[in-house]
Amino acid sequence: MGKSLNEIAKELKDNDNNKNKKVQLIYAFNGVGKTRLSKEFKALITSENGIENSEELENKKVLYYNAFTEDLFYWDNDLENNMSSTLKIHPNKFTKWIFIDQGQDQNVISTFQGYTNRNLNPSFNGDFSEVTFAYKSGDNQEKENIKISKGEESCFVWSIFYTFMKEVLIGLNDGEETSEYSNLEYIFIDDPVTSLDDNHLIQLAVDLAETIKQSKSKVKFIITTHNPLFFNVLTNEFSIKNEEYGYKKNKFKGHNLKKLSDGTYLLTELKTDSPFSYHLFLKNEIERAIETDDIRKYHYNFLRNILEKTATFLGYTNIAGLLKAEDGTIDNFVNRIINLSSHSKVASDEASELSLEEKDKFKEIFEQFIEKYHFGKEEVNE
């Protein structure tokens, strides 16, 4: 039976209280509600402590990084003169604390360059209310006041939050009971890996896991992601003991968050380092759709995804090799329905009704494929 996001937030909190879980890692597809869950969790913690959305640091029970964190930053593109682009920072206590009170601007820059490019140079103004970027090319020519990509901007914001989090945890490790964050209980991190290549993504995951494992304080962590590689690396990192800091691998728990057809949510435990196996999760979703006679156009996307992964694994150049009949031919209807129905150009088409013929053919393709390649019958991650 599904739950509301508020109930899921309570479940995560109960896991912390009853099972002493320092880290909870959640895998969910984009659009499922990870960011909304982070807001629900924050609202739950603040309401339970009788604290409204206060920005006073000493009142903070939960810190979170999500898409709304980036709203603190906005671009001045100098449209009138078209001469420079500047990233502005809305006045707030958090960047003031990390830049002015703690003097961590160089660590932010170093972290950002480590995940992007050493030749991409941020420069802060005197009061840390704005940032400009320059890029030095191979011939030492520097382009100033450039506008970085959206992915680089997200990475820059993450670098600030990550440096901020490290300083908070270092202070708590040192037993600074007078620290502004001595009342902190939770840090909620939602998908910090936008647009990173695999090498930098792995490095970010390893760095984040090590920072969390070194935390001796009461602070607990909830991390959500849509990226299977990020999930995989973090799961493996959190499954390794850190005896120096007293971190035990049984303090970690992995979850899968699903959105059900009625708009409710299901949080299930993951016992392996793979959040899916993704193709098996899609297989289960298709089986549910067939069982409830609720096959939609987007299920063709799911089927095509499974076919493509299988074709790649088996060495075919495309999915046609999987769809051939015994005489080597491909049913024209099968080929057409797979290729056309899985590439809707209008978002509303994804939920449109299929004809009875299309549904029957979908079932036939899927069932023959499953039987031919001997997929297991067990439910995955249930």
mmCIF file of all heavy atoms in Angstrom, residues 282-322:
data_model
loop_
_atom_site.group_PDB
_atom_site.id
_atom_site.type_symbol
_atom_site.label_atom_id
_atom_site.label_comp_id
_atom_site.label_asym_id
_atom_site.label_seq_id
_atom_site.Cartn_x
_atom_site.Cartn_y
_atom_site.Cartn_z
ATOM 1 N N LEU A 282 12.322 -2.195 -14.883
ATOM 2 C CA LEU A 282 11.427 -1.883 -16.003
ATOM 3 C C LEU A 282 10.587 -3.105 -16.373
ATOM 4 O O LEU A 282 9.404 -2.976 -16.708
ATOM 5 C CB LEU A 282 12.246 -1.412 -17.206
ATOM 6 C CG LEU A 282 13.031 -0.115 -17.026
ATOM 7 C CD1 LEU A 282 13.763 0.244 -18.314
ATOM 8 C CD2 LEU A 282 12.129 1.027 -16.601
ATOM 9 N N LYS A 283 11.204 -4.277 -16.324
ATOM 10 C CA LYS A 283 10.465 -5.513 -16.594
ATOM 11 C C LYS A 283 9.299 -5.661 -15.631
ATOM 12 O O LYS A 283 8.171 -5.992 -16.024
ATOM 13 C CB LYS A 283 11.415 -6.710 -16.481
ATOM 14 C CG LYS A 283 10.745 -8.080 -16.502
ATOM 15 C CD LYS A 283 11.791 -9.171 -16.378
ATOM 16 C CE LYS A 283 11.146 -10.541 -16.130
ATOM 17 N NZ LYS A 283 10.647 -10.656 -14.751
ATOM 18 N N ASN A 284 9.534 -5.389 -14.353
ATOM 19 C CA ASN A 284 8.459 -5.483 -13.364
ATOM 20 C C ASN A 284 7.348 -4.475 -13.635
ATOM 21 O O ASN A 284 6.159 -4.774 -13.477
ATOM 22 C CB ASN A 284 9.017 -5.261 -11.959
ATOM 23 C CG ASN A 284 9.674 -6.499 -11.405
ATOM 24 O OD1 ASN A 284 9.578 -7.570 -12.000
ATOM 25 N ND2 ASN A 284 10.356 -6.358 -10.294
ATOM 26 N N GLU A 285 7.747 -3.262 -14.045
ATOM 27 C CA GLU A 285 6.738 -2.239 -14.335
ATOM 28 C C GLU A 285 5.865 -2.654 -15.518
ATOM 29 O O GLU A 285 4.662 -2.428 -15.525
ATOM 30 C CB GLU A 285 7.426 -0.897 -14.628
ATOM 31 C CG GLU A 285 8.117 -0.284 -13.428
ATOM 32 C CD GLU A 285 7.136 0.038 -12.313
ATOM 33 O OE1 GLU A 285 6.201 0.826 -12.540
ATOM 34 O OE2 GLU A 285 7.296 -0.532 -11.213
ATOM 35 N N ILE A 286 6.489 -3.249 -16.522
ATOM 36 C CA ILE A 286 5.723 -3.731 -17.682
ATOM 37 C C ILE A 286 4.782 -4.850 -17.259
ATOM 38 O O ILE A 286 3.614 -4.892 -17.669
ATOM 39 C CB ILE A 286 6.682 -4.209 -18.790
ATOM 40 C CG1 ILE A 286 7.427 -3.014 -19.399
ATOM 41 C CG2 ILE A 286 5.914 -4.961 -19.886
ATOM 42 C CD1 ILE A 286 8.513 -3.404 -20.388
ATOM 43 N N GLU A 287 5.255 -5.759 -16.436
ATOM 44 C CA GLU A 287 4.413 -6.859 -15.981
ATOM 45 C C GLU A 287 3.217 -6.352 -15.194
ATOM 46 O O GLU A 287 2.096 -6.887 -15.323
ATOM 47 C CB GLU A 287 5.245 -7.834 -15.145
ATOM 48 C CG GLU A 287 6.233 -8.641 -15.986
ATOM 49 C CD GLU A 287 7.216 -9.442 -15.163
ATOM 50 O OE1 GLU A 287 7.407 -9.113 -13.970
ATOM 51 O OE2 GLU A 287 7.800 -10.394 -15.714
ATOM 52 N N ARG A 288 3.423 -5.314 -14.389
ATOM 53 C CA ARG A 288 2.296 -4.726 -13.659
ATOM 54 C C ARG A 288 1.283 -4.103 -14.621
ATOM 55 O O ARG A 288 0.069 -4.215 -14.418
ATOM 56 C CB ARG A 288 2.802 -3.666 -12.675
ATOM 57 C CG ARG A 288 3.554 -4.214 -11.472
ATOM 58 C CD ARG A 288 3.773 -3.122 -10.430
ATOM 59 N NE ARG A 288 4.561 -3.621 -9.313
ATOM 60 C CZ ARG A 288 5.868 -3.480 -9.186
ATOM 61 N NH1 ARG A 288 6.544 -2.854 -10.133
ATOM 62 N NH2 ARG A 288 6.517 -3.949 -8.138
ATOM 63 N N ALA A 289 1.806 -3.436 -15.649
ATOM 64 C CA ALA A 289 0.919 -2.799 -16.623
ATOM 65 C C ALA A 289 0.091 -3.838 -17.371
ATOM 66 O O ALA A 289 -1.102 -3.631 -17.625
ATOM 67 C CB ALA A 289 1.742 -1.969 -17.609
ATOM 68 N N ILE A 290 0.710 -4.950 -17.729
ATOM 69 C CA ILE A 290 -0.017 -6.026 -18.414
ATOM 70 C C ILE A 290 -1.060 -6.639 -17.488
ATOM 71 O O ILE A 290 -2.211 -6.874 -17.875
ATOM 72 C CB ILE A 290 0.973 -7.095 -18.916
ATOM 73 C CG1 ILE A 290 1.836 -6.527 -20.055
ATOM 74 C CG2 ILE A 290 0.223 -8.349 -19.381
ATOM 75 C CD1 ILE A 290 2.925 -7.478 -20.526
ATOM 76 N N GLU A 291 -0.673 -6.860 -16.239
ATOM 77 C CA GLU A 291 -1.583 -7.481 -15.279
ATOM 78 C C GLU A 291 -2.812 -6.623 -15.019
ATOM 79 O O GLU A 291 -3.926 -7.134 -14.862
ATOM 80 C CB GLU A 291 -0.835 -7.743 -13.963
ATOM 81 C CG GLU A 291 -1.674 -8.439 -12.913
ATOM 82 C CD GLU A 291 -0.895 -8.677 -11.628
ATOM 83 O OE1 GLU A 291 0.329 -8.475 -11.624
ATOM 84 O OE2 GLU A 291 -1.525 -9.076 -10.629
ATOM 85 N N THR A 292 -2.643 -5.305 -14.983
ATOM 86 C CA THR A 292 -3.762 -4.392 -14.707
ATOM 87 C C THR A 292 -4.405 -3.846 -15.973
ATOM 88 O O THR A 292 -5.289 -2.992 -15.899
ATOM 89 C CB THR A 292 -3.272 -3.206 -13.850
ATOM 90 O OG1 THR A 292 -2.214 -2.514 -14.547
ATOM 91 C CG2 THR A 292 -2.744 -3.695 -12.510
ATOM 92 N N ASP A 293 -3.941 -4.328 -17.127
ATOM 93 C CA ASP A 293 -4.441 -3.863 -18.425
ATOM 94 C C ASP A 293 -4.362 -2.334 -18.527
ATOM 95 O O ASP A 293 -5.306 -1.663 -18.948
ATOM 96 C CB ASP A 293 -5.885 -4.330 -18.655
ATOM 97 C CG ASP A 293 -6.311 -4.132 -20.119
ATOM 98 O OD1 ASP A 293 -5.432 -4.191 -21.001
ATOM 99 O OD2 ASP A 293 -7.517 -3.911 -20.369
ATOM 100 N N ASP A 294 -3.209 -1.806 -18.130
ATOM 101 C CA ASP A 294 -2.993 -0.354 -18.159
ATOM 102 C C ASP A 294 -1.720 -0.050 -18.944
ATOM 103 O O ASP A 294 -0.844 0.686 -18.487
ATOM 104 C CB ASP A 294 -2.888 0.184 -16.728
ATOM 105 C CG ASP A 294 -2.888 1.713 -16.689
ATOM 106 O OD1 ASP A 294 -3.475 2.331 -17.602
ATOM 107 O OD2 ASP A 294 -2.302 2.276 -15.744
ATOM 108 N N ILE A 295 -1.606 -0.619 -20.146
ATOM 109 C CA ILE A 295 -0.428 -0.406 -20.980
ATOM 110 C C ILE A 295 -0.541 0.952 -21.659
ATOM 111 O O ILE A 295 -1.539 1.246 -22.320
ATOM 112 C CB ILE A 295 -0.296 -1.508 -22.048
ATOM 113 C CG1 ILE A 295 -0.242 -2.890 -21.379
ATOM 114 C CG2 ILE A 295 0.952 -1.281 -22.889
ATOM 115 C CD1 ILE A 295 -0.334 -4.029 -22.363
ATOM 116 N N ARG A 296 0.480 1.786 -21.467
ATOM 117 C CA ARG A 296 0.512 3.120 -22.065
ATOM 118 C C ARG A 296 1.682 3.216 -23.032
ATOM 119 O O ARG A 296 2.532 2.327 -23.082
ATOM 120 C CB ARG A 296 0.644 4.195 -20.978
ATOM 121 C CG ARG A 296 -0.431 4.146 -19.895
ATOM 122 C CD ARG A 296 -1.807 4.377 -20.438
ATOM 123 N NE ARG A 296 -2.811 4.377 -19.389
ATOM 124 C CZ ARG A 296 -3.306 5.472 -18.828
ATOM 125 N NH1 ARG A 296 -2.868 6.664 -19.219
ATOM 126 N NH2 ARG A 296 -4.230 5.380 -17.894
ATOM 127 N N LYS A 297 1.724 4.316 -23.766
ATOM 128 C CA LYS A 297 2.807 4.463 -24.737
ATOM 129 C C LYS A 297 4.187 4.464 -24.080
ATOM 130 O O LYS A 297 5.163 3.990 -24.658
ATOM 131 C CB LYS A 297 2.606 5.741 -25.562
ATOM 132 C CG LYS A 297 1.584 5.575 -26.684
ATOM 133 C CD LYS A 297 1.656 6.728 -27.667
ATOM 134 C CE LYS A 297 0.725 6.468 -28.854
ATOM 135 N NZ LYS A 297 0.779 7.557 -29.840
ATOM 136 N N TYR A 298 4.269 5.007 -22.862
ATOM 137 C CA TYR A 298 5.595 5.067 -22.239
ATOM 138 C C TYR A 298 6.124 3.678 -21.905
ATOM 139 O O TYR A 298 7.334 3.494 -21.724
ATOM 140 C CB TYR A 298 5.600 5.969 -20.999
ATOM 141 C CG TYR A 298 4.782 5.497 -19.819
ATOM 142 C CD1 TYR A 298 5.299 4.577 -18.916
ATOM 143 C CD2 TYR A 298 3.507 6.004 -19.576
ATOM 144 C CE1 TYR A 298 4.574 4.167 -17.825
ATOM 145 C CE2 TYR A 298 2.766 5.599 -18.487
ATOM 146 C CZ TYR A 298 3.298 4.684 -17.615
ATOM 147 O OH TYR A 298 2.575 4.278 -16.523
ATOM 148 N N HIS A 299 5.236 2.675 -21.839
ATOM 149 C CA HIS A 299 5.721 1.316 -21.601
ATOM 150 C C HIS A 299 6.525 0.794 -22.789
ATOM 151 O O HIS A 299 7.371 -0.092 -22.629
ATOM 152 C CB HIS A 299 4.553 0.388 -21.279
ATOM 153 C CG HIS A 299 3.956 0.637 -19.933
ATOM 154 N ND1 HIS A 299 2.700 1.183 -19.749
ATOM 155 C CD2 HIS A 299 4.463 0.463 -18.683
ATOM 156 C CE1 HIS A 299 2.450 1.306 -18.467
ATOM 157 N NE2 HIS A 299 3.505 0.877 -17.791
ATOM 158 N N TYR A 300 6.273 1.338 -23.980
ATOM 159 C CA TYR A 300 7.112 0.997 -25.122
ATOM 160 C C TYR A 300 8.529 1.530 -24.926
ATOM 161 O O TYR A 300 9.505 0.925 -25.357
ATOM 162 C CB TYR A 300 6.511 1.532 -26.416
ATOM 163 C CG TYR A 300 5.429 0.657 -26.987
ATOM 164 C CD1 TYR A 300 4.090 0.923 -26.739
ATOM 165 C CD2 TYR A 300 5.742 -0.449 -27.767
ATOM 166 C CE1 TYR A 300 3.088 0.121 -27.254
ATOM 167 C CE2 TYR A 300 4.753 -1.259 -28.282
ATOM 168 C CZ TYR A 300 3.426 -0.970 -28.024
ATOM 169 O OH TYR A 300 2.441 -1.778 -28.533
ATOM 170 N N ASN A 301 8.641 2.694 -24.263
ATOM 171 C CA ASN A 301 9.979 3.192 -23.913
ATOM 172 C C ASN A 301 10.691 2.211 -23.001
ATOM 173 O O ASN A 301 11.887 1.934 -23.150
ATOM 174 C CB ASN A 301 9.866 4.556 -23.219
ATOM 175 C CG ASN A 301 9.628 5.688 -24.178
ATOM 176 O OD1 ASN A 301 10.250 5.768 -25.226
ATOM 177 N ND2 ASN A 301 8.701 6.557 -23.833
ATOM 178 N N PHE A 302 9.929 1.698 -22.010
ATOM 179 C CA PHE A 302 10.511 0.724 -21.085
ATOM 180 C C PHE A 302 10.981 -0.511 -21.845
ATOM 181 O O PHE A 302 12.093 -1.017 -21.617
ATOM 182 C CB PHE A 302 9.474 0.315 -20.035
ATOM 183 C CG PHE A 302 9.142 1.379 -19.036
ATOM 184 C CD1 PHE A 302 9.713 2.644 -19.096
ATOM 185 C CD2 PHE A 302 8.242 1.128 -18.007
ATOM 186 C CE1 PHE A 302 9.408 3.619 -18.167
ATOM 187 C CE2 PHE A 302 7.935 2.090 -17.065
ATOM 188 C CZ PHE A 302 8.515 3.335 -17.151
ATOM 189 N N LEU A 303 10.113 -1.012 -22.731
ATOM 190 C CA LEU A 303 10.452 -2.221 -23.476
ATOM 191 C C LEU A 303 11.652 -1.986 -24.379
ATOM 192 O O LEU A 303 12.555 -2.829 -24.462
ATOM 193 C CB LEU A 303 9.249 -2.678 -24.306
ATOM 194 C CG LEU A 303 9.452 -3.931 -25.167
ATOM 195 C CD1 LEU A 303 9.946 -5.106 -24.325
ATOM 196 C CD2 LEU A 303 8.178 -4.288 -25.903
ATOM 197 N N ARG A 304 11.684 -0.855 -25.044
ATOM 198 C CA ARG A 304 12.813 -0.550 -25.915
ATOM 199 C C ARG A 304 14.114 -0.473 -25.107
ATOM 200 O O ARG A 304 15.163 -0.947 -25.546
ATOM 201 C CB ARG A 304 12.581 0.758 -26.672
ATOM 202 C CG ARG A 304 13.690 1.047 -27.680
ATOM 203 C CD ARG A 304 13.484 2.386 -28.369
ATOM 204 N NE ARG A 304 14.550 2.586 -29.328
ATOM 205 C CZ ARG A 304 14.520 2.188 -30.598
ATOM 206 N NH1 ARG A 304 13.449 1.557 -31.059
ATOM 207 N NH2 ARG A 304 15.545 2.408 -31.403
ATOM 208 N N ASN A 305 14.045 0.117 -23.911
ATOM 209 C CA ASN A 305 15.220 0.216 -23.046
ATOM 210 C C ASN A 305 15.765 -1.176 -22.725
ATOM 211 O O ASN A 305 16.977 -1.431 -22.794
ATOM 212 C CB ASN A 305 14.843 0.966 -21.768
ATOM 213 C CG ASN A 305 16.038 1.302 -20.910
ATOM 214 O OD1 ASN A 305 16.722 0.412 -20.428
ATOM 215 N ND2 ASN A 305 16.282 2.578 -20.713
ATOM 216 N N ILE A 306 14.858 -2.112 -22.380
ATOM 217 C CA ILE A 306 15.282 -3.487 -22.074
ATOM 218 C C ILE A 306 15.892 -4.149 -23.309
ATOM 219 O O ILE A 306 16.932 -4.809 -23.230
ATOM 220 C CB ILE A 306 14.086 -4.305 -21.569
ATOM 221 C CG1 ILE A 306 13.560 -3.723 -20.254
ATOM 222 C CG2 ILE A 306 14.490 -5.765 -21.364
ATOM 223 C CD1 ILE A 306 12.269 -4.369 -19.791
ATOM 224 N N LEU A 307 15.244 -3.947 -24.446
ATOM 225 C CA LEU A 307 15.740 -4.547 -25.684
ATOM 226 C C LEU A 307 17.129 -4.023 -26.039
ATOM 227 O O LEU A 307 18.018 -4.774 -26.440
ATOM 228 C CB LEU A 307 14.765 -4.261 -26.829
ATOM 229 C CG LEU A 307 13.409 -4.976 -26.776
ATOM 230 C CD1 LEU A 307 12.473 -4.402 -27.838
ATOM 231 C CD2 LEU A 307 13.567 -6.467 -26.955
ATOM 232 N N GLU A 308 17.338 -2.713 -25.880
ATOM 233 C CA GLU A 308 18.623 -2.116 -26.232
ATOM 234 C C GLU A 308 19.734 -2.643 -25.327
ATOM 235 O O GLU A 308 20.845 -2.932 -25.787
ATOM 236 C CB GLU A 308 18.530 -0.593 -26.150
ATOM 237 C CG GLU A 308 17.722 0.015 -27.291
ATOM 238 C CD GLU A 308 17.527 1.510 -27.147
ATOM 239 O OE1 GLU A 308 17.685 2.020 -26.007
ATOM 240 O OE2 GLU A 308 17.205 2.161 -28.147
ATOM 241 N N LYS A 309 19.452 -2.748 -24.026
ATOM 242 C CA LYS A 309 20.463 -3.266 -23.091
ATOM 243 C C LYS A 309 20.795 -4.718 -23.410
ATOM 244 O O LYS A 309 21.966 -5.136 -23.373
ATOM 245 C CB LYS A 309 19.958 -3.127 -21.653
ATOM 246 C CG LYS A 309 20.048 -1.709 -21.105
ATOM 247 C CD LYS A 309 19.548 -1.638 -19.681
ATOM 248 C CE LYS A 309 19.901 -0.296 -19.062
ATOM 249 N NZ LYS A 309 19.415 0.850 -19.803
ATOM 250 N N THR A 310 19.783 -5.504 -23.722
ATOM 251 C CA THR A 310 20.020 -6.905 -24.056
ATOM 252 C C THR A 310 20.797 -7.037 -25.363
ATOM 253 O O THR A 310 21.720 -7.851 -25.475
ATOM 254 C CB THR A 310 18.685 -7.659 -24.157
ATOM 255 O OG1 THR A 310 17.933 -7.463 -22.957
ATOM 256 C CG2 THR A 310 18.915 -9.147 -24.364
ATOM 257 N N ALA A 311 20.428 -6.219 -26.360
ATOM 258 C CA ALA A 311 21.120 -6.264 -27.653
ATOM 259 C C ALA A 311 22.591 -5.906 -27.490
ATOM 260 O O ALA A 311 23.476 -6.563 -28.062
ATOM 261 C CB ALA A 311 20.446 -5.310 -28.637
ATOM 262 N N THR A 312 22.877 -4.873 -26.692
ATOM 263 C CA THR A 312 24.261 -4.475 -26.453
ATOM 264 C C THR A 312 25.036 -5.588 -25.767
ATOM 265 O O THR A 312 26.169 -5.916 -26.142
ATOM 266 C CB THR A 312 24.303 -3.200 -25.588
ATOM 267 O OG1 THR A 312 23.642 -2.141 -26.283
ATOM 268 C CG2 THR A 312 25.739 -2.780 -25.302
ATOM 269 N N PHE A 313 24.414 -6.198 -24.748
ATOM 270 C CA PHE A 313 25.079 -7.263 -24.002
ATOM 271 C C PHE A 313 25.399 -8.452 -24.899
ATOM 272 O O PHE A 313 26.456 -9.091 -24.774
ATOM 273 C CB PHE A 313 24.192 -7.706 -22.833
ATOM 274 C CG PHE A 313 24.785 -8.793 -21.997
ATOM 275 C CD1 PHE A 313 25.778 -8.513 -21.063
ATOM 276 C CD2 PHE A 313 24.363 -10.108 -22.131
ATOM 277 C CE1 PHE A 313 26.333 -9.509 -20.286
ATOM 278 C CE2 PHE A 313 24.918 -11.123 -21.361
ATOM 279 C CZ PHE A 313 25.906 -10.820 -20.440
ATOM 280 N N LEU A 314 24.480 -8.771 -25.828
ATOM 281 C CA LEU A 314 24.654 -9.941 -26.683
ATOM 282 C C LEU A 314 25.446 -9.652 -27.950
ATOM 283 O O LEU A 314 25.722 -10.558 -28.739
ATOM 284 C CB LEU A 314 23.286 -10.530 -27.049
ATOM 285 C CG LEU A 314 22.475 -11.095 -25.873
ATOM 286 C CD1 LEU A 314 21.110 -11.559 -26.353
ATOM 287 C CD2 LEU A 314 23.226 -12.239 -25.204
ATOM 288 N N GLY A 315 25.796 -8.380 -28.179
ATOM 289 C CA GLY A 315 26.662 -8.047 -29.299
ATOM 290 C C GLY A 315 25.951 -7.694 -30.589
ATOM 291 O O GLY A 315 26.593 -7.595 -31.641
ATOM 292 N N TYR A 316 24.626 -7.454 -30.533
ATOM 293 C CA TYR A 316 23.916 -7.020 -31.724
ATOM 294 C C TYR A 316 24.144 -5.527 -31.949
ATOM 295 O O TYR A 316 24.321 -4.754 -30.995
ATOM 296 C CB TYR A 316 22.413 -7.273 -31.584
ATOM 297 C CG TYR A 316 22.028 -8.743 -31.561
ATOM 298 C CD1 TYR A 316 21.626 -9.344 -30.373
ATOM 299 C CD2 TYR A 316 22.065 -9.506 -32.723
ATOM 300 C CE1 TYR A 316 21.263 -10.683 -30.337
ATOM 301 C CE2 TYR A 316 21.708 -10.850 -32.693
ATOM 302 C CZ TYR A 316 21.308 -11.430 -31.502
ATOM 303 O OH TYR A 316 20.958 -12.757 -31.474
ATOM 304 N N THR A 317 24.123 -5.108 -33.217
ATOM 305 C CA THR A 317 24.304 -3.680 -33.511
ATOM 306 C C THR A 317 23.052 -2.881 -33.197
ATOM 307 O O THR A 317 23.125 -1.680 -32.975
ATOM 308 C CB THR A 317 24.677 -3.483 -34.991
ATOM 309 O OG1 THR A 317 23.663 -4.073 -35.816
ATOM 310 C CG2 THR A 317 26.025 -4.107 -35.291
ATOM 311 N N ASN A 318 21.880 -3.515 -33.190
ATOM 312 C CA ASN A 318 20.631 -2.837 -32.827
ATOM 313 C C ASN A 318 19.626 -3.888 -32.360
ATOM 314 O O ASN A 318 19.905 -5.095 -32.377
ATOM 315 C CB ASN A 318 20.066 -2.030 -34.004
ATOM 316 C CG ASN A 318 19.910 -2.873 -35.254
ATOM 317 O OD1 ASN A 318 19.240 -3.914 -35.235
ATOM 318 N ND2 ASN A 318 20.550 -2.440 -36.342
ATOM 319 N N ILE A 319 18.452 -3.444 -31.973
ATOM 320 C CA ILE A 319 17.473 -4.358 -31.382
ATOM 321 C C ILE A 319 16.827 -5.276 -32.411
ATOM 322 O O ILE A 319 16.157 -6.242 -32.031
ATOM 323 C CB ILE A 319 16.382 -3.592 -30.621
ATOM 324 C CG1 ILE A 319 15.561 -2.721 -31.572
ATOM 325 C CG2 ILE A 319 16.993 -2.771 -29.500
ATOM 326 C CD1 ILE A 319 14.391 -2.035 -30.882
ATOM 327 N N ALA A 320 17.027 -4.992 -33.695
ATOM 328 C CA ALA A 320 16.420 -5.836 -34.732
ATOM 329 C C ALA A 320 16.855 -7.288 -34.594
ATOM 330 O O ALA A 320 16.080 -8.216 -34.855
ATOM 331 C CB ALA A 320 16.769 -5.305 -36.118
ATOM 332 N N GLY A 321 18.099 -7.493 -34.160
ATOM 333 C CA GLY A 321 18.603 -8.850 -34.009
ATOM 334 C C GLY A 321 17.844 -9.657 -32.972
ATOM 335 O O GLY A 321 17.807 -10.890 -33.037
ATOM 336 N N LEU A 322 17.224 -8.972 -32.007
ATOM 337 C CA LEU A 322 16.460 -9.657 -30.975
ATOM 338 C C LEU A 322 15.054 -9.990 -31.429
ATOM 339 O O LEU A 322 14.382 -10.836 -30.821
ATOM 340 C CB LEU A 322 16.379 -8.788 -29.712
ATOM 341 C CG LEU A 322 17.691 -8.369 -29.049
ATOM 342 C CD1 LEU A 322 17.394 -7.450 -27.873
ATOM 343 C CD2 LEU A 322 18.479 -9.582 -28.595
#
